[in-house]
Amino acid sequence: MSNTTTTFVGWTSSPDGRGTYDIILTCAVTTFLCCWTSVYPNIPGPNDGFWLALRDKLGLALLGLLGPDFIITLALGQKSSARRSVKKFHSAGYLSWTMTHAFFADMGGFVLHASDFESPIPLDAEQVFYLVQNGHINFPSTTKRDIDDRDKSDGLARFVSVCQALWFIVNLIARAVQGLCITTMEITTLSFVIILFGSAWCWKDKPSDVATAIPVHASVTLEEILSTAGPRARNPYYHTPLDFVSREETALELVWQYYNELARRILFSPFSRRVKTVPWDRIPGDSFLRMDLIFEFIGGVFVFLFGAVFFLSWNSEFPSATERLLWRMASIYMMTYSIVGSVWMWFSLSVFIPRSRAARNLEKSIVEESLPPHVLLRLHSRLQEQLDSRTQPLGKHAEIARQMTGYVMESKGVLAFFSKSHNISRDKDPRMAVPVGYLVFTSLLCGLYLVFRGYILVEDVVGLRSLPPSAYESVDWLVFLPHI
């Protein structure tokens, strides 16, 4: 039915049925539950009070509101890291190490105290394993129950969130079956619900709202730990003296921290709070960790579903033809971003970033060095070898082709500019330098994402000014009862 033959109505009260206020309230409550009760910040620093801890949770909630697909990526990375930790500890014979222990460690739950180092050092799960394996600390005697006692998450709130999300989905399905109008605000809320289920699964073993960490005491001095670790432990550190063990930044982490630092220089970042101490006194909760291949696939599915949900309003009635066109353009781009963005980040993590770091002679951490070459990096290396052997007689064209694949790190002109790295980190941490070519293309993707994402959120609100009458009809649940 075209807009010219559809009668639209404005604000509708709800004394006897569903009204505009009911639509807004239902979507607002569901979105709040998805963005607030489902996020799990890391442990704050020892000198952080209630408001700074609240600030960390608010930052994650705002990230979930801006881009729920970023939250599922964050959660999957943390779950993947915890899963790797459990495998390592179990293979070493420490069977009491659980997913809860691994999550607790990665959120800064264990802090190292050394007799020759004044500041306690927050340890991630990989660092705990390294110290235990090398006899520098005893295996933590903390039980899962001890950690659960520190967990202040509200189980009832989690249950209510899931129940509300399930009821929201059932209601939308019922409206679709009965041919009733589903507003764009409800479609957008559905996208939050999809991510809620994914993040709830990822973080089901992660403690929430833990206020303090558990101290572990080194049996040797920190100097001895570093001296036995080899030359890499003598490199300057930017987080903690144990950077040499597990320091590893993903492609998404690099550009995310770059944008946050840029926002701080302009005004402030609403999503991330800078760690101001060196060594760090906490592990930030907005760090995007590396995902294993199976979790990359799972993440791709969730991101694809998130992008696809907006197509459900493709043929919906809009107040104007322009708004419908813009919604369709936004839907197409959200899907395009989901696919192209995922492939781009995957390729950048496995090819561009490693090659950029190798060109700058950055030494790998122990964890990075233990990783097998990514399948994309192996394929890319073979492609470069073939390209090099086939294009040597082509001169200038050969260099351009190799430059486009990241093979040559030195060239002239525009290609040289894109092969360089840009570093705006406060302490000029060399590992936080971002390749310019990667930054430019990622910024283009994210800039368009913000534009179309912003339009979707605005249209959700302004579209309520004029809706088809069926938008205010309630579901007739008696229709679904079997007739006797």
Side-chain angles (χ1 to χ4, degrees), residues 154-416:
D154 190 344
L156 178 61
R158 295 186 186 185
F159 178 75
V160 169
S161 298
V162 173
C163 288
Q164 172 63 22
L166 289 173
W167 170 248
F168 186 85
I169 291 176
V170 170
N171 189 62
L172 289 193
I173 293 175
R175 294 189 66 81
V177 169
Q178 296 187 7
L180 302 178
C181 173
I182 299 175
T183 66
T184 59
M185 181 176 285
E186 291 170 308
I187 292 299
T188 301
T189 304
L190 178 61
S191 69
F192 287 107
V193 170
I194 291 173
I195 299 301
L196 167 67
F197 289 130
S199 61
W201 172 71
C202 290
W203 281 331
K204 65 183 180 66
D205 297 307
K206 182 178 180 179
S208 179
D209 299 326
V210 179
T212 58
I214 296 175
V216 292
H217 296 275
S219 57
V220 296
T221 63
L222 181 61
E223 177 63 28
E224 290 180 72
I225 294 175
L226 299 179
S227 63
T228 58
R232 81 180 83 207
R234 294 297 181 183
N235 293 329
Y237 68 85
Y238 293 85
H239 294 176
T240 77
L242 296 178
D243 282 354
F244 71 92
V245 176
S246 59
R247 185 81 191 271
E248 180 187 13
E249 282 79 23
T250 63
L252 182 55
E253 170 70 4
L254 279 179
V255 76
W256 171 248
Q257 297 303 335
Y258 183 94
Y259 291 148
N260 274 295
E261 185 61 31
L262 185 62
R264 294 187 191 104
R265 293 192 177 193
I266 297 174
L267 186 60
F268 79 104
S269 171
F271 308 107
S272 179
R273 182 166 61 96
R274 176 191 285 153
V275 182
K276 297 181 179 180
T277 62
V278 179
W280 281 9
D281 61 351
R282 62 184 175 89
I283 299 177
D286 63 328
S287 298
F288 291 89
L289 306 180
R290 175 174 54 89
M291 285 186 277
D292 294 331
L293 188 60
I294 181 61
F295 286 97
E296 290 179 346
F297 174 76
I298 295 173
V301 171
F302 273 105
V303 171
F304 178 83
L305 291 175
F306 172 78
V309 73
F310 300 101
F311 281 94
L312 296 177
S313 290
W314 185 268
N315 291 319
S316 296
E317 300 290 350
F318 286 82
S320 69
T322 301
E323 288 172 75
R324 171 186 282 182
L325 176 62
L326 289 174
W327 183 272
R328 289 179 174 180
M329 291 173 60
S331 300
I332 292 173
Y333 185 77
M334 296 304 289
M335 176 62 72
T336 302
Y337 179 86
S338 299
I339 298 174
V340 176
S342 297
V343 173
W344 173 246
M345 286 298 169
W346 194 34
F347 194 78
S348 299
L349 173 64
S350 58
V351 177
F352 291 149
I353 302 302
R355 288 197 173 277
S356 173
R357 287 175 176 167
R360 289 181 284 122
N361 297 318
L362 293 182
E363 192 167 9
K364 295 181 179 180
S365 67
I366 294 176
V367 169
E368 285 180 316
E369 198 170 59
S370 66
L371 297 175
H374 197 284
V375 60
L376 281 183
L377 183 59
R378 294 198 297 268
L379 292 175
H380 186 258
S381 299
R382 293 177 184 175
L383 175 63
Q384 288 179 340
E385 292 174 0
Q386 294 178 4
L387 183 65
D388 188 48
S389 62
R390 294 178 182 180
T391 60
Q392 280 189 9
L394 299 182
K396 179 180 179 181
H397 297 290
E399 180 170 344
I400 294 176
R402 289 193 296 269
Q403 184 64 248
M404 291 178 64
T405 61
Y407 180 72
V408 180
M409 299 309 297
E410 304 87 15
S411 63
K412 299 178 181 180
V414 176
L415 294 179

Side-chain angles (χ1 to χ4, degrees), residues 1-8 315-318 324 328 468-469:
M1 184 178 295
S2 65
N3 289 351
T4 57
T5 60
T6 300
T7 301
F8 288 87
N315 291 319
S316 296
E317 300 290 350
F318 286 82
R324 171 186 282 182
R328 289 179 174 180

